[in-house]
Amino acid sequence: QSVLTQPPSASGTPGQSVTISCSGSGSNIGSHYVYWYQQISGTAPKLLIYRINQRSSGVPDRFSGSRSGTSASLAISGLRSEDEADYFCAAWDDSLSGPVFGGGTKLSVL
Amino acid sequence: EVQLVESGGGLVQPGRSLRLSCAASGFTFDDYAMHWVRQAPGKGLEWVSGINWNGGSTGYADSVKGRFTISRDNAKNSLYLQMTSLRAEDTALYYCAKDVNYGGTLGVAGFDPWGQGTLVTVSS
């Protein structure tokens, strides 16, 4: 059971928008920066969003991050086939004194 | 270009030990904290351990505390993970990752970039 909660799957058709949620608590998302990672099948994770809403170098502006209270979201607009991947949220956790991840969301582009 | 190259993985029997290494290049190694993150087959990501710039501060996941030891050699631009008393549940792809924050302290969940990983399989 992951400390941060994500839906196991999400889907959309090309051109659509999709939002992936990440739920935590006051000891992690509520008080620390949130990070999002994209992992395409068979490859290492790649930093997508840092400090809640900052896009990593080379990440298109179709990707955006936000936080509200103890939850965070990753929004992807104008879905493309190459967005098909697993997406993980992460935040530092004061109770565990270390980073924690969400269980991951598998995004399918139909 | 920042590069992280892990090595040392392999097949090991339960209860035995293994030492992973990560060779870093393309950045000033001792300006950053470093981490190990693992991914069991078909599963999600789990932070394993982190170390600050000079090795004076370390952190471990509860699942490995007391069994794994992280260390670094700044003169060799290398990160290590000594794993003892290995269990079947330690079977995973182990990634080395650079902390996002310049300054070398622990305290965020930002990892960039990641190496390609080294596979550890614990089985009799």
Side-chain angles (χ1 to χ4, degrees):
Chain A
Q1 196 79 344
S2 301
V3 175
L4 305 181
T5 301
Q6 296 180 237
S9 64
S11 63
T13 56
Q16 278 190 331
S17 296
V18 66
T19 299
I20 297 171
S21 62
C22 175
S23 177
S25 68
S27 65
N28 42 65
I29 290 178
S31 52
H32 291 281
Y33 287 131
V34 180
Y35 297 78
W36 289 92
Y37 299 89
Q38 177 192 60
Q39 186 177 34
I40 294 171
S41 181
T43 70
K46 168 190 155 185
L47 179 65
L48 206 60
I49 299 287
Y50 64 98
R51 293 187 180 181
I52 303 171
N53 56 17
Q54 303 299 301
R55 281 183 298 278
S56 187
S57 176
V59 174
D61 59 8
R62 301 186 296 105
F63 292 86
S64 62
S66 63
R67 179 180 68 179
S68 178
T70 58
S71 292
S73 296
L74 174 70
I76 311 171
S77 61
L79 268 178
R80 303 177 66 144
S81 58
E82 57 260 38
D83 298 334
E84 194 159 279
D86 292 322
Y87 292 85
F88 297 90
C89 60
W92 185 270
D93 188 286
D94 288 329
S95 300
L96 298 176
S97 297
V100 291
F101 286 94
T105 298
K106 187 174 193 66
L107 175 64
S108 299
V109 181
L110 307 172
Chain B
E1 179 197 3
V2 175
Q3 266 203 317
L4 300 170
V5 180
E6 303 93 336
S7 60
L11 174 63
V12 61
Q13 292 180 327
R16 304 297 290 259
S17 301
L18 205 59
R19 188 196 197 205
L20 306 184
S21 299
C22 171
S25 61
F27 66 102
T28 304
F29 188 64
D30 57 9
D31 277 342
Y32 293 89
M34 295 293 295
H35 303 267
W36 290 98
V37 179
R38 69 184 180 184
Q39 186 169 33
K43 302 296 184 182
L45 302 171
E46 179 188 19
W47 176 78
V48 173
S49 183
I51 186 169
N52 77 329
W53 71 278
N54 67 355
S57 177
T58 58
Y60 298 91
D62 287 343
S63 58
V64 307
K65 205 171 288 184
R67 300 188 299 123
F68 290 10
T69 303
I70 192 172
S71 61
R72 63 190 295 161
D73 185 335
N74 288 343
K76 295 183 178 179
N77 287 350
S78 292
L79 176 72
Y80 306 101
L81 186 68
Q82 179 68 47
M83 304 185 295
T84 64
S85 303
L86 282 162
R87 306 166 180 167
E89 53 265 35
D90 295 319
T91 293
L93 187 60
Y94 285 73
Y95 293 104
C96 165
K98 171 182 154 291
D99 198 281
V100 294
N101 276 353
Y102 175 82
T105 58
L106 296 170
V108 296
F111 314 107
D112 182 45
W114 302 54
Q116 285 308 300
T118 186
L119 182 62
V120 173
T121 303
V122 184
S123 173
S124 54

Short mmCIF file of all heavy atoms in Angstrom, two decimals, chain B residues 10-45:
data_model
loop_
_atom_site.label_atom_id
_atom_site.label_comp_id
_atom_site.label_asym_id
_atom_site.label_seq_id
_atom_site.Cartn_x
_atom_site.Cartn_y
_atom_site.Cartn_z
N GLY B 10 22.67 -8.81 -9.73
CA GLY B 10 22.81 -10.21 -10.11
C GLY B 10 21.89 -11.10 -9.31
O GLY B 10 21.04 -10.61 -8.56
N LEU B 11 22.09 -12.40 -9.46
CA LEU B 11 21.31 -13.40 -8.74
C LEU B 11 22.03 -13.74 -7.44
O LEU B 11 23.22 -14.08 -7.47
CB LEU B 11 21.13 -14.64 -9.60
CG LEU B 11 20.46 -15.85 -8.94
CD1 LEU B 11 19.02 -15.52 -8.56
CD2 LEU B 11 20.49 -17.05 -9.90
N VAL B 12 21.33 -13.67 -6.33
CA VAL B 12 21.94 -13.94 -5.03
C VAL B 12 20.95 -14.74 -4.18
O VAL B 12 19.73 -14.56 -4.30
CB VAL B 12 22.35 -12.62 -4.34
CG1 VAL B 12 21.16 -11.73 -4.10
CG2 VAL B 12 23.12 -12.89 -3.06
N GLN B 13 21.49 -15.59 -3.34
CA GLN B 13 20.64 -16.40 -2.48
C GLN B 13 20.12 -15.59 -1.29
O GLN B 13 20.78 -14.64 -0.83
CB GLN B 13 21.43 -17.60 -1.95
CG GLN B 13 21.79 -18.61 -3.02
CD GLN B 13 22.59 -19.78 -2.46
OE1 GLN B 13 23.37 -19.61 -1.51
NE2 GLN B 13 22.41 -20.96 -3.04
N PRO B 14 18.96 -15.96 -0.78
CA PRO B 14 18.45 -15.27 0.43
C PRO B 14 19.45 -15.34 1.56
O PRO B 14 20.11 -16.37 1.77
CB PRO B 14 17.18 -16.07 0.75
CG PRO B 14 16.75 -16.65 -0.55
CD PRO B 14 18.02 -16.98 -1.28
N GLY B 15 19.58 -14.23 2.27
CA GLY B 15 20.50 -14.15 3.39
C GLY B 15 21.89 -13.68 3.02
O GLY B 15 22.67 -13.32 3.91
N ARG B 16 22.21 -13.67 1.72
CA ARG B 16 23.53 -13.24 1.29
C ARG B 16 23.60 -11.73 1.08
O ARG B 16 22.62 -11.02 1.30
CB ARG B 16 23.92 -13.98 0.00
CG ARG B 16 23.88 -15.48 0.09
CD ARG B 16 24.89 -16.01 1.11
NE ARG B 16 26.26 -15.86 0.67
CZ ARG B 16 26.99 -16.85 0.16
NH1 ARG B 16 26.46 -18.07 0.01
NH2 ARG B 16 28.24 -16.66 -0.18
N SER B 17 24.77 -11.27 0.69
CA SER B 17 25.00 -9.83 0.52
C SER B 17 25.35 -9.50 -0.93
O SER B 17 25.76 -10.37 -1.70
CB SER B 17 26.15 -9.38 1.43
OG SER B 17 25.87 -9.64 2.77
N LEU B 18 25.19 -8.21 -1.24
CA LEU B 18 25.52 -7.72 -2.57
C LEU B 18 25.84 -6.24 -2.44
O LEU B 18 25.25 -5.53 -1.61
CB LEU B 18 24.32 -7.92 -3.51
CG LEU B 18 24.55 -8.03 -5.02
CD1 LEU B 18 25.48 -9.21 -5.34
CD2 LEU B 18 23.21 -8.20 -5.74
N ARG B 19 26.75 -5.74 -3.26
CA ARG B 19 27.09 -4.32 -3.24
C ARG B 19 26.85 -3.72 -4.61
O ARG B 19 27.43 -4.18 -5.61
CB ARG B 19 28.56 -4.12 -2.85
CG ARG B 19 28.93 -2.66 -2.61
CD ARG B 19 30.42 -2.46 -2.63
NE ARG B 19 30.83 -1.21 -2.02
CZ ARG B 19 31.96 -0.57 -2.31
NH1 ARG B 19 32.79 -1.07 -3.20
NH2 ARG B 19 32.27 0.56 -1.69
N LEU B 20 25.99 -2.71 -4.65
CA LEU B 20 25.72 -1.99 -5.89
C LEU B 20 26.59 -0.75 -5.97
O LEU B 20 26.91 -0.14 -4.95
CB LEU B 20 24.25 -1.59 -5.96
CG LEU B 20 23.21 -2.69 -5.78
CD1 LEU B 20 21.80 -2.12 -5.97
CD2 LEU B 20 23.45 -3.84 -6.73
N SER B 21 26.94 -0.39 -7.20
CA SER B 21 27.71 0.82 -7.43
C SER B 21 27.01 1.67 -8.48
O SER B 21 26.27 1.17 -9.32
CB SER B 21 29.12 0.48 -7.94
OG SER B 21 29.83 -0.29 -7.01
N CYS B 22 27.26 2.97 -8.41
CA CYS B 22 26.74 3.91 -9.39
C CYS B 22 27.84 4.89 -9.74
O CYS B 22 28.33 5.61 -8.86
CB CYS B 22 25.52 4.63 -8.82
SG CYS B 22 24.93 6.01 -9.84
N ALA B 23 28.26 4.90 -11.00
CA ALA B 23 29.30 5.81 -11.46
C ALA B 23 28.62 7.04 -12.06
O ALA B 23 27.80 6.92 -12.97
CB ALA B 23 30.17 5.13 -12.50
N ALA B 24 28.98 8.21 -11.54
CA ALA B 24 28.37 9.46 -11.99
C ALA B 24 29.34 10.28 -12.82
O ALA B 24 30.55 10.28 -12.57
CB ALA B 24 27.92 10.27 -10.78
N SER B 25 28.81 10.98 -13.80
CA SER B 25 29.63 11.87 -14.61
C SER B 25 28.77 12.99 -15.16
O SER B 25 27.54 12.90 -15.19
CB SER B 25 30.28 11.09 -15.76
OG SER B 25 29.30 10.53 -16.60
N GLY B 26 29.44 14.07 -15.59
CA GLY B 26 28.72 15.16 -16.22
C GLY B 26 28.22 16.24 -15.28
O GLY B 26 27.55 17.18 -15.72
N PHE B 27 28.53 16.12 -13.98
CA PHE B 27 28.14 17.15 -13.02
C PHE B 27 29.09 17.08 -11.82
O PHE B 27 29.84 16.11 -11.67
CB PHE B 27 26.68 16.98 -12.57
CG PHE B 27 26.40 15.72 -11.78
CD1 PHE B 27 26.26 15.77 -10.40
CD2 PHE B 27 26.25 14.49 -12.41
CE1 PHE B 27 25.99 14.62 -9.67
CE2 PHE B 27 25.98 13.34 -11.70
CZ PHE B 27 25.85 13.40 -10.32
N THR B 28 29.06 18.12 -11.00
CA THR B 28 29.90 18.14 -9.81
C THR B 28 29.25 17.29 -8.74
O THR B 28 28.28 17.71 -8.09
CB THR B 28 30.10 19.59 -9.32
OG1 THR B 28 30.63 20.39 -10.38
CG2 THR B 28 31.06 19.62 -8.13
N PHE B 29 29.78 16.09 -8.60
CA PHE B 29 29.14 15.06 -7.79
C PHE B 29 28.86 15.52 -6.36
O PHE B 29 27.77 15.30 -5.82
CB PHE B 29 30.03 13.80 -7.79
CG PHE B 29 29.42 12.60 -7.16
CD1 PHE B 29 28.29 11.99 -7.68
CD2 PHE B 29 30.01 12.03 -6.02
CE1 PHE B 29 27.74 10.86 -7.09
CE2 PHE B 29 29.46 10.90 -5.42
CZ PHE B 29 28.32 10.31 -5.96
N ASP B 30 29.83 16.16 -5.73
CA ASP B 30 29.65 16.50 -4.31
C ASP B 30 28.81 17.75 -4.09
O ASP B 30 28.73 18.26 -2.98
CB ASP B 30 30.98 16.57 -3.57
CG ASP B 30 31.96 17.56 -4.19
OD1 ASP B 30 31.55 18.32 -5.10
OD2 ASP B 30 33.13 17.57 -3.77
N ASP B 31 28.15 18.24 -5.13
CA ASP B 31 27.19 19.33 -4.98
C ASP B 31 25.77 18.82 -4.77
O ASP B 31 24.84 19.62 -4.55
CB ASP B 31 27.19 20.23 -6.23
CG ASP B 31 28.30 21.26 -6.20
OD1 ASP B 31 28.86 21.52 -5.11
OD2 ASP B 31 28.62 21.81 -7.28
N TYR B 32 25.60 17.49 -4.84
CA TYR B 32 24.25 16.94 -4.81
C TYR B 32 24.13 15.74 -3.89
O TYR B 32 25.05 14.92 -3.78
CB TYR B 32 23.81 16.52 -6.22
CG TYR B 32 23.65 17.68 -7.16
CD1 TYR B 32 24.73 18.13 -7.91
CD2 TYR B 32 22.43 18.33 -7.29
CE1 TYR B 32 24.60 19.22 -8.76
CE2 TYR B 32 22.29 19.41 -8.14
CZ TYR B 32 23.37 19.85 -8.85
OH TYR B 32 23.23 20.93 -9.69
N ALA B 33 22.95 15.64 -3.25
CA ALA B 33 22.60 14.39 -2.58
C ALA B 33 22.30 13.35 -3.65
O ALA B 33 22.01 13.69 -4.80
CB ALA B 33 21.37 14.62 -1.69
N MET B 34 22.38 12.08 -3.26
CA MET B 34 22.13 10.99 -4.19
C MET B 34 21.20 9.96 -3.54
O MET B 34 21.13 9.86 -2.30
CB MET B 34 23.45 10.31 -4.58
CG MET B 34 24.42 11.21 -5.35
SD MET B 34 23.84 11.65 -7.00
CE MET B 34 23.80 10.05 -7.82
N HIS B 35 20.55 9.18 -4.38
CA HIS B 35 19.54 8.24 -3.88
C HIS B 35 19.59 6.91 -4.61
O HIS B 35 20.07 6.83 -5.75
CB HIS B 35 18.13 8.83 -4.09
CG HIS B 35 17.91 10.15 -3.45
ND1 HIS B 35 17.38 10.29 -2.18
CD2 HIS B 35 18.13 11.41 -3.91
CE1 HIS B 35 17.28 11.58 -1.90
NE2 HIS B 35 17.74 12.28 -2.93
N TRP B 36 19.03 5.91 -3.96
CA TRP B 36 18.70 4.63 -4.58
C TRP B 36 17.18 4.47 -4.52
O TRP B 36 16.58 4.65 -3.45
CB TRP B 36 19.37 3.47 -3.87
CG TRP B 36 20.86 3.41 -4.06
CD1 TRP B 36 21.81 3.86 -3.21
CD2 TRP B 36 21.55 2.87 -5.20
NE1 TRP B 36 23.06 3.63 -3.74
CE2 TRP B 36 22.94 3.02 -4.95
CE3 TRP B 36 21.15 2.25 -6.39
CZ2 TRP B 36 23.91 2.60 -5.86
CZ3 TRP B 36 22.12 1.83 -7.28
CH2 TRP B 36 23.48 1.99 -7.02
N VAL B 37 16.59 4.13 -5.65
CA VAL B 37 15.15 3.88 -5.75
C VAL B 37 14.99 2.54 -6.45
O VAL B 37 15.70 2.28 -7.42
CB VAL B 37 14.44 4.99 -6.56
CG1 VAL B 37 12.94 4.69 -6.66
CG2 VAL B 37 14.67 6.36 -5.93
N ARG B 38 14.08 1.71 -5.98
CA ARG B 38 13.92 0.40 -6.61
C ARG B 38 12.50 0.19 -7.13
O ARG B 38 11.56 0.86 -6.73
CB ARG B 38 14.29 -0.72 -5.63
CG ARG B 38 13.33 -0.92 -4.46
CD ARG B 38 13.87 -1.97 -3.50
NE ARG B 38 12.97 -2.19 -2.37
CZ ARG B 38 13.26 -3.00 -1.35
NH1 ARG B 38 14.40 -3.68 -1.32
NH2 ARG B 38 12.39 -3.15 -0.36
N GLN B 39 12.41 -0.78 -8.03
CA GLN B 39 11.13 -1.10 -8.65
C GLN B 39 11.05 -2.62 -8.82
O GLN B 39 11.77 -3.19 -9.64
CB GLN B 39 10.99 -0.40 -10.00
CG GLN B 39 9.64 -0.56 -10.64
CD GLN B 39 9.44 0.35 -11.84
OE1 GLN B 39 10.38 0.65 -12.58
NE2 GLN B 39 8.22 0.83 -12.04
N ALA B 40 10.21 -3.25 -8.02
CA ALA B 40 10.00 -4.69 -8.15
C ALA B 40 9.32 -4.98 -9.48
O ALA B 40 8.63 -4.10 -10.02
CB ALA B 40 9.16 -5.20 -6.99
N PRO B 41 9.50 -6.16 -10.03
CA PRO B 41 8.92 -6.49 -11.34
C PRO B 41 7.42 -6.21 -11.39
O PRO B 41 6.66 -6.71 -10.56
CB PRO B 41 9.22 -7.97 -11.48
CG PRO B 41 10.42 -8.20 -10.65
CD PRO B 41 10.30 -7.27 -9.48
N GLY B 42 7.02 -5.38 -12.33
CA GLY B 42 5.61 -5.08 -12.51
C GLY B 42 4.99 -4.19 -11.44
O GLY B 42 3.77 -4.02 -11.42
N LYS B 43 5.83 -3.63 -10.56
CA LYS B 43 5.32 -2.83 -9.45
C LYS B 43 5.73 -1.35 -9.58
O LYS B 43 6.35 -0.95 -10.57
CB LYS B 43 5.84 -3.39 -8.12
CG LYS B 43 5.46 -4.84 -7.88
CD LYS B 43 3.97 -5.03 -7.75
CE LYS B 43 3.61 -6.47 -7.41
NZ LYS B 43 2.15 -6.68 -7.34
N GLY B 44 5.40 -0.58 -8.55
CA GLY B 44 5.71 0.84 -8.56
C GLY B 44 7.11 1.14 -8.03
O GLY B 44 7.92 0.26 -7.82
N LEU B 45 7.35 2.43 -7.80
CA LEU B 45 8.65 2.90 -7.34
C LEU B 45 8.69 2.95 -5.82
O LEU B 45 7.71 3.31 -5.18
CB LEU B 45 8.92 4.29 -7.91
CG LEU B 45 8.92 4.40 -9.43
CD1 LEU B 45 8.98 5.85 -9.87
CD2 LEU B 45 10.06 3.60 -10.03
#
